[in-house]
Amino acid sequence: MTSDQLSRTFAALADPTRRAMLQRLSRGPATVNQLREPFRISGPAVSKHLRVLEDAGLVVTSRDGQMRPRTLAPDALDPVRDWTEKMRHTWEARHDALATYLIEIQDTPVNERTAS
Amino acid sequence: MTSDQLSRTFAALADPTRRAMLQRLSRGPATVNQLREPFRISGPAVSKHLRVLEDAGLVVTSRDGQMRPRTLAPDALDPVRDWTEKMRHTWEARHDALATYLIEIQDTPVNERTAS
DNA sequence: GCCATATATTGCCAATTGGTTATATAACCA
DNA sequence: TGGTTATATAACCAATTGGCAATATATGGC
């Protein structure tokens, strides 16, 4: 992992087990054992996944007796949205400009066109 | 990589060099050497990054003489947006319901409250 | 056909990842 | 205090990753 926050977040999301855990958490807080239940993986494997999610800022841990319930922290998804939407916007701006240009030259007789 | 498409896409985005390449491509197609230029990495490293991006469906390759220009394929970002927005929506729906409940019990005198 | 340019493939390496079992810690319960 | 439950940490392993240098392939120009 390249240690920058956005890379950590994308990497945390690049695993189906972790994404399933996040989806479970989107419906409300859950204990480690609740998060483990849908999978056939060991406790330590769950702990490791949760560590990755916490390092990415996607979940936070609290304490309730001997349990350490996790809660989703959806604000950590904002940089993901911002980055992808910026990509899309740059791409679309370029294509809008291209479309405008194509319409312009279409409406201009060849002998009136100027190099721009 | 867990071999499902969404994981491949997230993993492709989890590297700052690859994200920078995508940002370059969002301003228009580019050759391998153009994509390489901002970095101090070898040609093969660039090829590998581009392979990852192509496997994720984020770029497509064409041919122009001896060059193989890459073009952004921004539709591959849609599943990323869909997944994250669904997460957010589930979370917010739950919190809207909680807020409604809190307002309800606030407006109801204690002795009129019923277990729901 | 020959050379230069653009890019890909191969073989290698160190670091990271996702999993395991065994062990430790922490809190509740009797 | 001792036992049980919930979770974390340690130590290890195989697979994957991101990088490199060396080599191969493909195309255009002479």
PDB file of all heavy atoms in Angstrom, chain B residues 3-30:
ATOM      1  N   SER B   3     -10.415 -11.450  -8.422  1.00  0.00           N
ATOM      2  CA  SER B   3     -10.876 -11.819  -9.756  1.00  0.00           C
ATOM      3  C   SER B   3     -12.294 -11.374 -10.083  1.00  0.00           C
ATOM      4  O   SER B   3     -12.721 -11.537 -11.214  1.00  0.00           O
ATOM      5  CB  SER B   3     -10.743 -13.334  -9.986  1.00  0.00           C
ATOM      6  OG  SER B   3     -11.925 -13.997  -9.567  1.00  0.00           O
ATOM      7  N   ASP B   4     -13.037 -10.802  -9.159  1.00  0.00           N
ATOM      8  CA  ASP B   4     -14.305 -10.213  -9.580  1.00  0.00           C
ATOM      9  C   ASP B   4     -14.036  -8.799 -10.101  1.00  0.00           C
ATOM     10  O   ASP B   4     -13.075  -8.135  -9.709  1.00  0.00           O
ATOM     11  CB  ASP B   4     -15.327 -10.203  -8.435  1.00  0.00           C
ATOM     12  CG  ASP B   4     -14.957  -9.247  -7.343  1.00  0.00           C
ATOM     13  OD1 ASP B   4     -13.955  -9.516  -6.654  1.00  0.00           O
ATOM     14  OD2 ASP B   4     -15.640  -8.235  -7.171  1.00  0.00           O
ATOM     15  N   GLN B   5     -14.915  -8.358 -10.969  1.00  0.00           N
ATOM     16  CA  GLN B   5     -14.655  -7.130 -11.703  1.00  0.00           C
ATOM     17  C   GLN B   5     -14.539  -5.912 -10.793  1.00  0.00           C
ATOM     18  O   GLN B   5     -13.642  -5.081 -10.952  1.00  0.00           O
ATOM     19  CB  GLN B   5     -15.765  -6.918 -12.739  1.00  0.00           C
ATOM     20  CG  GLN B   5     -15.504  -5.789 -13.707  1.00  0.00           C
ATOM     21  CD  GLN B   5     -14.267  -6.032 -14.561  1.00  0.00           C
ATOM     22  OE1 GLN B   5     -13.882  -7.176 -14.769  1.00  0.00           O
ATOM     23  NE2 GLN B   5     -13.630  -4.965 -15.010  1.00  0.00           N
ATOM     24  N   LEU B   6     -15.452  -5.805  -9.834  1.00  0.00           N
ATOM     25  CA  LEU B   6     -15.434  -4.621  -8.966  1.00  0.00           C
ATOM     26  C   LEU B   6     -14.152  -4.575  -8.135  1.00  0.00           C
ATOM     27  O   LEU B   6     -13.549  -3.502  -7.967  1.00  0.00           O
ATOM     28  CB  LEU B   6     -16.672  -4.624  -8.065  1.00  0.00           C
ATOM     29  CG  LEU B   6     -16.917  -3.384  -7.227  1.00  0.00           C
ATOM     30  CD1 LEU B   6     -16.909  -2.116  -8.073  1.00  0.00           C
ATOM     31  CD2 LEU B   6     -18.243  -3.501  -6.474  1.00  0.00           C
ATOM     32  N   SER B   7     -13.706  -5.728  -7.651  1.00  0.00           N
ATOM     33  CA  SER B   7     -12.443  -5.763  -6.912  1.00  0.00           C
ATOM     34  C   SER B   7     -11.286  -5.351  -7.806  1.00  0.00           C
ATOM     35  O   SER B   7     -10.392  -4.610  -7.373  1.00  0.00           O
ATOM     36  CB  SER B   7     -12.192  -7.171  -6.356  1.00  0.00           C
ATOM     37  OG  SER B   7     -13.174  -7.515  -5.402  1.00  0.00           O
ATOM     38  N   ARG B   8     -11.291  -5.816  -9.046  1.00  0.00           N
ATOM     39  CA  ARG B   8     -10.224  -5.418  -9.963  1.00  0.00           C
ATOM     40  C   ARG B   8     -10.220  -3.911 -10.174  1.00  0.00           C
ATOM     41  O   ARG B   8      -9.170  -3.285 -10.229  1.00  0.00           O
ATOM     42  CB  ARG B   8     -10.397  -6.128 -11.314  1.00  0.00           C
ATOM     43  CG  ARG B   8      -9.641  -7.437 -11.402  1.00  0.00           C
ATOM     44  CD  ARG B   8      -9.551  -7.884 -12.854  1.00  0.00           C
ATOM     45  NE  ARG B   8     -10.861  -8.195 -13.399  1.00  0.00           N
ATOM     46  CZ  ARG B   8     -11.418  -9.395 -13.342  1.00  0.00           C
ATOM     47  NH1 ARG B   8     -10.775 -10.396 -12.785  1.00  0.00           N
ATOM     48  NH2 ARG B   8     -12.607  -9.608 -13.839  1.00  0.00           N
ATOM     49  N   THR B   9     -11.414  -3.331 -10.292  1.00  0.00           N
ATOM     50  CA  THR B   9     -11.480  -1.883 -10.508  1.00  0.00           C
ATOM     51  C   THR B   9     -10.961  -1.122  -9.297  1.00  0.00           C
ATOM     52  O   THR B   9     -10.118  -0.228  -9.420  1.00  0.00           O
ATOM     53  CB  THR B   9     -12.922  -1.465 -10.828  1.00  0.00           C
ATOM     54  OG1 THR B   9     -13.397  -2.240 -11.928  1.00  0.00           O
ATOM     55  CG2 THR B   9     -12.989   0.006 -11.189  1.00  0.00           C
ATOM     56  N   PHE B  10     -11.444  -1.486  -8.116  1.00  0.00           N
ATOM     57  CA  PHE B  10     -10.957  -0.806  -6.913  1.00  0.00           C
ATOM     58  C   PHE B  10      -9.447  -0.981  -6.763  1.00  0.00           C
ATOM     59  O   PHE B  10      -8.724  -0.030  -6.438  1.00  0.00           O
ATOM     60  CB  PHE B  10     -11.670  -1.340  -5.664  1.00  0.00           C
ATOM     61  CG  PHE B  10     -12.990  -0.676  -5.386  1.00  0.00           C
ATOM     62  CD1 PHE B  10     -14.156  -1.427  -5.259  1.00  0.00           C
ATOM     63  CD2 PHE B  10     -13.079   0.700  -5.221  1.00  0.00           C
ATOM     64  CE1 PHE B  10     -15.379  -0.822  -4.987  1.00  0.00           C
ATOM     65  CE2 PHE B  10     -14.298   1.315  -4.950  1.00  0.00           C
ATOM     66  CZ  PHE B  10     -15.448   0.552  -4.836  1.00  0.00           C
ATOM     67  N   ALA B  11      -8.959  -2.203  -7.008  1.00  0.00           N
ATOM     68  CA  ALA B  11      -7.519  -2.446  -6.876  1.00  0.00           C
ATOM     69  C   ALA B  11      -6.735  -1.604  -7.874  1.00  0.00           C
ATOM     70  O   ALA B  11      -5.665  -1.073  -7.551  1.00  0.00           O
ATOM     71  CB  ALA B  11      -7.227  -3.934  -7.064  1.00  0.00           C
ATOM     72  N   ALA B  12      -7.274  -1.471  -9.081  1.00  0.00           N
ATOM     73  CA  ALA B  12      -6.579  -0.656 -10.090  1.00  0.00           C
ATOM     74  C   ALA B  12      -6.469   0.791  -9.621  1.00  0.00           C
ATOM     75  O   ALA B  12      -5.481   1.471  -9.898  1.00  0.00           O
ATOM     76  CB  ALA B  12      -7.316  -0.725 -11.424  1.00  0.00           C
ATOM     77  N   LEU B  13      -7.475   1.246  -8.891  1.00  0.00           N
ATOM     78  CA  LEU B  13      -7.488   2.641  -8.433  1.00  0.00           C
ATOM     79  C   LEU B  13      -6.657   2.848  -7.175  1.00  0.00           C
ATOM     80  O   LEU B  13      -6.412   3.982  -6.772  1.00  0.00           O
ATOM     81  CB  LEU B  13      -8.932   3.089  -8.183  1.00  0.00           C
ATOM     82  CG  LEU B  13      -9.829   3.118  -9.431  1.00  0.00           C
ATOM     83  CD1 LEU B  13     -11.279   3.375  -9.034  1.00  0.00           C
ATOM     84  CD2 LEU B  13      -9.352   4.178 -10.410  1.00  0.00           C
ATOM     85  N   ALA B  14      -6.215   1.761  -6.559  1.00  0.00           N
ATOM     86  CA  ALA B  14      -5.529   1.858  -5.270  1.00  0.00           C
ATOM     87  C   ALA B  14      -4.032   2.098  -5.423  1.00  0.00           C
ATOM     88  O   ALA B  14      -3.247   1.695  -4.568  1.00  0.00           O
ATOM     89  CB  ALA B  14      -5.786   0.582  -4.456  1.00  0.00           C
ATOM     90  N   ASP B  15      -3.635   2.739  -6.482  1.00  0.00           N
ATOM     91  CA  ASP B  15      -2.214   3.028  -6.701  1.00  0.00           C
ATOM     92  C   ASP B  15      -2.090   4.432  -7.275  1.00  0.00           C
ATOM     93  O   ASP B  15      -2.723   4.749  -8.298  1.00  0.00           O
ATOM     94  CB  ASP B  15      -1.624   1.992  -7.666  1.00  0.00           C
ATOM     95  CG  ASP B  15      -0.147   2.248  -7.928  1.00  0.00           C
ATOM     96  OD1 ASP B  15       0.151   3.203  -8.683  1.00  0.00           O
ATOM     97  OD2 ASP B  15       0.682   1.507  -7.394  1.00  0.00           O
ATOM     98  N   PRO B  16      -1.304   5.295  -6.649  1.00  0.00           N
ATOM     99  CA  PRO B  16      -1.244   6.695  -7.064  1.00  0.00           C
ATOM    100  C   PRO B  16      -0.680   6.877  -8.473  1.00  0.00           C
ATOM    101  O   PRO B  16      -1.102   7.801  -9.185  1.00  0.00           O
ATOM    102  CB  PRO B  16      -0.340   7.355  -6.024  1.00  0.00           C
ATOM    103  CG  PRO B  16       0.282   6.265  -5.248  1.00  0.00           C
ATOM    104  CD  PRO B  16      -0.489   5.015  -5.461  1.00  0.00           C
ATOM    105  N   THR B  17       0.243   6.015  -8.872  1.00  0.00           N
ATOM    106  CA  THR B  17       0.765   6.119 -10.240  1.00  0.00           C
ATOM    107  C   THR B  17      -0.345   5.844 -11.245  1.00  0.00           C
ATOM    108  O   THR B  17      -0.527   6.599 -12.211  1.00  0.00           O
ATOM    109  CB  THR B  17       1.921   5.123 -10.437  1.00  0.00           C
ATOM    110  OG1 THR B  17       2.945   5.394  -9.484  1.00  0.00           O
ATOM    111  CG2 THR B  17       2.500   5.246 -11.834  1.00  0.00           C
ATOM    112  N   ARG B  18      -1.113   4.791 -10.991  1.00  0.00           N
ATOM    113  CA  ARG B  18      -2.200   4.483 -11.925  1.00  0.00           C
ATOM    114  C   ARG B  18      -3.258   5.575 -11.909  1.00  0.00           C
ATOM    115  O   ARG B  18      -3.814   5.936 -12.953  1.00  0.00           O
ATOM    116  CB  ARG B  18      -2.813   3.116 -11.579  1.00  0.00           C
ATOM    117  CG  ARG B  18      -1.943   1.969 -12.021  1.00  0.00           C
ATOM    118  CD  ARG B  18      -2.717   0.655 -11.995  1.00  0.00           C
ATOM    119  NE  ARG B  18      -3.086   0.208 -10.667  1.00  0.00           N
ATOM    120  CZ  ARG B  18      -2.364  -0.647  -9.944  1.00  0.00           C
ATOM    121  NH1 ARG B  18      -1.242  -1.139 -10.423  1.00  0.00           N
ATOM    122  NH2 ARG B  18      -2.775  -1.008  -8.752  1.00  0.00           N
ATOM    123  N   ARG B  19      -3.559   6.122 -10.744  1.00  0.00           N
ATOM    124  CA  ARG B  19      -4.559   7.210 -10.717  1.00  0.00           C
ATOM    125  C   ARG B  19      -4.064   8.416 -11.499  1.00  0.00           C
ATOM    126  O   ARG B  19      -4.839   9.055 -12.223  1.00  0.00           O
ATOM    127  CB  ARG B  19      -4.881   7.596  -9.267  1.00  0.00           C
ATOM    128  CG  ARG B  19      -5.752   6.589  -8.541  1.00  0.00           C
ATOM    129  CD  ARG B  19      -6.444   7.196  -7.319  1.00  0.00           C
ATOM    130  NE  ARG B  19      -5.523   7.819  -6.394  1.00  0.00           N
ATOM    131  CZ  ARG B  19      -4.812   7.170  -5.473  1.00  0.00           C
ATOM    132  NH1 ARG B  19      -4.938   5.860  -5.356  1.00  0.00           N
ATOM    133  NH2 ARG B  19      -4.013   7.814  -4.668  1.00  0.00           N
ATOM    134  N   ALA B  20      -2.775   8.723 -11.368  1.00  0.00           N
ATOM    135  CA  ALA B  20      -2.233   9.857 -12.135  1.00  0.00           C
ATOM    136  C   ALA B  20      -2.336   9.580 -13.633  1.00  0.00           C
ATOM    137  O   ALA B  20      -2.645  10.480 -14.427  1.00  0.00           O
ATOM    138  CB  ALA B  20      -0.782  10.110 -11.723  1.00  0.00           C
ATOM    139  N   MET B  21      -2.088   8.337 -14.029  1.00  0.00           N
ATOM    140  CA  MET B  21      -2.218   7.992 -15.447  1.00  0.00           C
ATOM    141  C   MET B  21      -3.656   8.178 -15.914  1.00  0.00           C
ATOM    142  O   MET B  21      -3.899   8.693 -17.013  1.00  0.00           O
ATOM    143  CB  MET B  21      -1.780   6.540 -15.662  1.00  0.00           C
ATOM    144  CG  MET B  21      -0.270   6.347 -15.549  1.00  0.00           C
ATOM    145  SD  MET B  21       0.177   4.578 -15.651  1.00  0.00           S
ATOM    146  CE  MET B  21       1.972   4.735 -15.758  1.00  0.00           C
ATOM    147  N   LEU B  22      -4.586   7.768 -15.092  1.00  0.00           N
ATOM    148  CA  LEU B  22      -5.991   7.940 -15.466  1.00  0.00           C
ATOM    149  C   LEU B  22      -6.346   9.416 -15.577  1.00  0.00           C
ATOM    150  O   LEU B  22      -7.073   9.826 -16.498  1.00  0.00           O
ATOM    151  CB  LEU B  22      -6.889   7.252 -14.438  1.00  0.00           C
ATOM    152  CG  LEU B  22      -6.881   5.722 -14.453  1.00  0.00           C
ATOM    153  CD1 LEU B  22      -7.715   5.179 -13.307  1.00  0.00           C
ATOM    154  CD2 LEU B  22      -7.384   5.188 -15.782  1.00  0.00           C
ATOM    155  N   GLN B  23      -5.822  10.211 -14.648  1.00  0.00           N
ATOM    156  CA  GLN B  23      -6.117  11.647 -14.714  1.00  0.00           C
ATOM    157  C   GLN B  23      -5.553  12.249 -15.994  1.00  0.00           C
ATOM    158  O   GLN B  23      -6.199  13.068 -16.636  1.00  0.00           O
ATOM    159  CB  GLN B  23      -5.548  12.345 -13.476  1.00  0.00           C
ATOM    160  CG  GLN B  23      -6.473  12.149 -12.270  1.00  0.00           C
ATOM    161  CD  GLN B  23      -5.948  12.805 -11.017  1.00  0.00           C
ATOM    162  OE1 GLN B  23      -4.761  12.760 -10.726  1.00  0.00           O
ATOM    163  NE2 GLN B  23      -6.847  13.426 -10.256  1.00  0.00           N
ATOM    164  N   ARG B  24      -4.361  11.816 -16.352  1.00  0.00           N
ATOM    165  CA  ARG B  24      -3.817  12.262 -17.642  1.00  0.00           C
ATOM    166  C   ARG B  24      -4.743  11.853 -18.781  1.00  0.00           C
ATOM    167  O   ARG B  24      -5.034  12.645 -19.688  1.00  0.00           O
ATOM    168  CB  ARG B  24      -2.416  11.681 -17.824  1.00  0.00           C
ATOM    169  CG  ARG B  24      -1.861  11.785 -19.241  1.00  0.00           C
ATOM    170  CD  ARG B  24      -1.685  13.233 -19.671  1.00  0.00           C
ATOM    171  NE  ARG B  24      -1.307  13.317 -21.088  1.00  0.00           N
ATOM    172  CZ  ARG B  24      -2.165  13.243 -22.094  1.00  0.00           C
ATOM    173  NH1 ARG B  24      -3.463  13.088 -21.838  1.00  0.00           N
ATOM    174  NH2 ARG B  24      -1.741  13.343 -23.326  1.00  0.00           N
ATOM    175  N   LEU B  25      -5.228  10.623 -18.742  1.00  0.00           N
ATOM    176  CA  LEU B  25      -6.079  10.138 -19.828  1.00  0.00           C
ATOM    177  C   LEU B  25      -7.443  10.814 -19.833  1.00  0.00           C
ATOM    178  O   LEU B  25      -8.110  10.842 -20.874  1.00  0.00           O
ATOM    179  CB  LEU B  25      -6.243   8.613 -19.710  1.00  0.00           C
ATOM    180  CG  LEU B  25      -4.995   7.805 -20.067  1.00  0.00           C
ATOM    181  CD1 LEU B  25      -5.216   6.330 -19.770  1.00  0.00           C
ATOM    182  CD2 LEU B  25      -4.616   8.014 -21.530  1.00  0.00           C
ATOM    183  N   SER B  26      -7.855  11.350 -18.689  1.00  0.00           N
ATOM    184  CA  SER B  26      -9.148  12.034 -18.676  1.00  0.00           C
ATOM    185  C   SER B  26      -9.090  13.317 -19.507  1.00  0.00           C
ATOM    186  O   SER B  26     -10.116  13.846 -19.910  1.00  0.00           O
ATOM    187  CB  SER B  26      -9.563  12.354 -17.233  1.00  0.00           C
ATOM    188  OG  SER B  26      -8.774  13.409 -16.703  1.00  0.00           O
ATOM    189  N   ARG B  27      -7.882  13.794 -19.795  1.00  0.00           N
ATOM    190  CA  ARG B  27      -7.746  14.975 -20.663  1.00  0.00           C
ATOM    191  C   ARG B  27      -7.524  14.588 -22.098  1.00  0.00           C
ATOM    192  O   ARG B  27      -7.327  15.464 -22.943  1.00  0.00           O
ATOM    193  CB  ARG B  27      -6.594  15.853 -20.161  1.00  0.00           C
ATOM    194  CG  ARG B  27      -6.828  16.410 -18.757  1.00  0.00           C
ATOM    195  CD  ARG B  27      -5.842  17.509 -18.416  1.00  0.00           C
ATOM    196  NE  ARG B  27      -4.474  17.042 -18.398  1.00  0.00           N
ATOM    197  CZ  ARG B  27      -3.895  16.417 -17.363  1.00  0.00           C
ATOM    198  NH1 ARG B  27      -4.587  16.203 -16.263  1.00  0.00           N
ATOM    199  NH2 ARG B  27      -2.646  16.019 -17.428  1.00  0.00           N
ATOM    200  N   GLY B  28      -7.571  13.292 -22.401  1.00  0.00           N
ATOM    201  CA  GLY B  28      -7.429  12.844 -23.773  1.00  0.00           C
ATOM    202  C   GLY B  28      -6.474  11.676 -23.908  1.00  0.00           C
ATOM    203  O   GLY B  28      -5.688  11.423 -22.998  1.00  0.00           O
ATOM    204  N   PRO B  29      -6.548  10.941 -25.023  1.00  0.00           N
ATOM    205  CA  PRO B  29      -5.702   9.770 -25.240  1.00  0.00           C
ATOM    206  C   PRO B  29      -4.227  10.119 -25.139  1.00  0.00           C
ATOM    207  O   PRO B  29      -3.836  11.276 -25.350  1.00  0.00           O
ATOM    208  CB  PRO B  29      -6.070   9.331 -26.654  1.00  0.00           C
ATOM    209  CG  PRO B  29      -7.431   9.885 -26.892  1.00  0.00           C
ATOM    210  CD  PRO B  29      -7.480  11.171 -26.140  1.00  0.00           C
ATOM    211  N   ALA B  30      -3.423   9.132 -24.833  1.00  0.00           N
ATOM    212  CA  ALA B  30      -1.983   9.345 -24.699  1.00  0.00           C
ATOM    213  C   ALA B  30      -1.245   8.062 -25.036  1.00  0.00           C
ATOM    214  O   ALA B  30      -1.776   6.959 -24.844  1.00  0.00           O
ATOM    215  CB  ALA B  30      -1.636   9.797 -23.285  1.00  0.00           C
TER     216      ALA B  30
END
